[in-house]
Amino acid sequence: MRIVCWFSCGAASAVATKLAIAENAGKLPLIIAYTEVLEEHIDNKRFLKDCEKWFGQEVLIIGNDKYKRSIYETFKTSAMNIKGSAPCTQKLKKQVRLKFQEVNDRQVFGYTAEEQNRLDRFIDANNDVDIWTPLIDKGLSKEYCLGMLRNANIELPEMYRLGYHNNNCIGCVKGGMGYWNKIKVDFPEHFDRMADLERFKGQTVLKDRYLDELKPTDGHYPTEQNIECSIFCQMAEEDYRGDK
């Protein structure tokens, strides 16, 4: 039996991992696993190293090499956005987790106190998984996790510092109009790459327009729904709906 902490380079998964390490206290073998996706901000690697020092343990970096650990490789054989879900998450994160996990693993996920409903859906779809959620157990919110990292003198990942709600890929296909307008300003090359791919595939990541048709006034990112693209949130929602 072992404990597997799924670390995503997000604040919640970092604090969940830290709590699991403390509570486990060396009783069981504990692995910290990070599923690498190349389109995440380069500063994530710095954050990972800082967290390794905080954890007192190295993070195992794994990924789906069939798709070269890139969302753009997954788009060559699938749609970009299906019913609000992201096939890239299924291929780059879910498939990696399923291949890595073992039957007797106790798996640590960074669900926060606000995400009890997401946890419930995950359990419904994955009742064979031994799930440990230290943040929910302790009633800890995402804001608390951000504060805990600051108290530990760990600089937050660049995407948080730029005002993004989550530390996802630069240019997440589940983002809304306000999100993509922000990406266009902060990361124009990533915006252009996705916009060009939309036209090439004849598909859109938004519901009713191509990215290159966005007006600067479209959307309002601060009030848009948070984009979840972690190893557990999107996966649970896909399983719950029966997506393949």
Side-chain angles (χ1 to χ4, degrees):
M1 185 175 178
R2 62 183 187 172
I3 295 173
V4 178
C5 300
W6 292 106
F7 174 73
S8 66
C9 281
S13 69
V15 175
T17 297
K18 181 68 173 179
L19 293 173
I21 292 170
E23 187 168 333
N24 180 54
K27 298 172 187 174
L28 293 173
L30 186 146
I31 298 170
I32 308 168
Y34 166 63
T35 54
E36 182 179 39
V37 179
L38 296 183
E39 283 72 34
E40 292 181 358
H41 197 288
I42 191 172
D43 185 59
N44 281 8
K45 296 299 173 62
R46 186 275 310 163
F47 180 73
L48 184 148
K49 291 296 183 183
D50 287 349
C51 285
E52 283 183 327
K53 296 176 184 177
W54 192 41
F55 300 150
Q57 182 175 335
E58 291 186 356
V59 174
L60 177 65
I61 300 176
I62 56 180
N64 194 334
D65 293 321
K66 176 181 177 180
Y67 298 102
K68 302 179 182 179
R69 308 187 181 193
S70 169
I71 64 173
Y72 288 96
E73 289 296 315
T74 72
F75 297 150
K76 291 180 179 180
T77 56
S78 72
M80 301 158 69
N81 192 331
I82 302 174
K83 295 185 294 185
S85 67
C88 46
T89 303
Q90 198 272 346
K91 294 177 179 180
L92 298 182
K93 296 184 178 181
K94 178 179 178 180
Q95 288 183 10
V96 174
R97 182 189 76 90
L98 293 177
K99 183 177 180 180
F100 184 80
Q101 71 180 14
E102 296 179 1
V103 174
N104 293 323
D105 285 344
R106 189 175 195 200
Q107 301 189 42
V108 177
F109 296 129
Y111 288 107
T112 61
E114 308 95 324
E115 297 178 311
Q116 182 66 53
N117 289 338
R118 273 202 167 98
L119 172 61
D120 292 341
R121 292 199 296 270
F122 183 96
I123 292 172
D124 287 342
N126 302 272
N127 53 27
D128 59 331
V129 177
D130 182 1
I131 301 170
W132 183 9
T133 55
L135 303 179
I136 287 182
D137 293 347
K138 297 182 181 298
L140 303 180
S141 67
K142 182 176 180 179
E143 288 303 314
Y144 178 90
C145 295
L146 293 170
M148 189 171 177
L149 289 173
R150 293 191 186 98
N151 291 340
N153 294 318
I154 297 176
E155 187 174 29
L156 296 176
E158 179 68 11
M159 294 298 280
Y160 288 125
R161 301 200 303 272
L162 287 172
Y164 291 91
H165 304 317
N166 299 88
N167 191 20
N168 300 329
C169 294
I170 302 176
C172 178
V173 295
K174 294 201 297 176
M177 292 188 293
Y179 166 83
W180 276 105
N181 267 326
K182 182 170 172 56
I183 289 291
K184 186 175 184 179
V185 172
D186 295 336
F187 303 100
E189 68 282 5
H190 290 268
F191 180 93
D192 290 343
R193 184 179 185 183
M194 190 66 73
D196 289 345
L197 182 62
E198 280 189 329
R199 291 294 185 178
F200 177 77
K201 291 178 69 71
Q203 300 173 4
T204 63
V205 299
L206 300 173
K207 292 181 179 180
D208 59 356
R209 71 198 67 188
Y210 286 95
L211 289 176
D212 59 20
E213 295 173 332
L214 273 179
K215 300 176 182 177
T217 55
D218 285 340
H220 183 245
Y221 181 60
T223 59
E224 289 179 359
Q225 183 177 358
N226 283 357
I227 306 167
E228 291 293 349
C229 193
S230 66
I231 198 170
F232 47 93
C233 293
Q234 173 68 14
M235 178 181 66
E237 291 172 358
E238 288 178 355
D239 286 345
Y240 184 73
R241 290 192 303 263
D243 296 350
K244 301 298 182 182

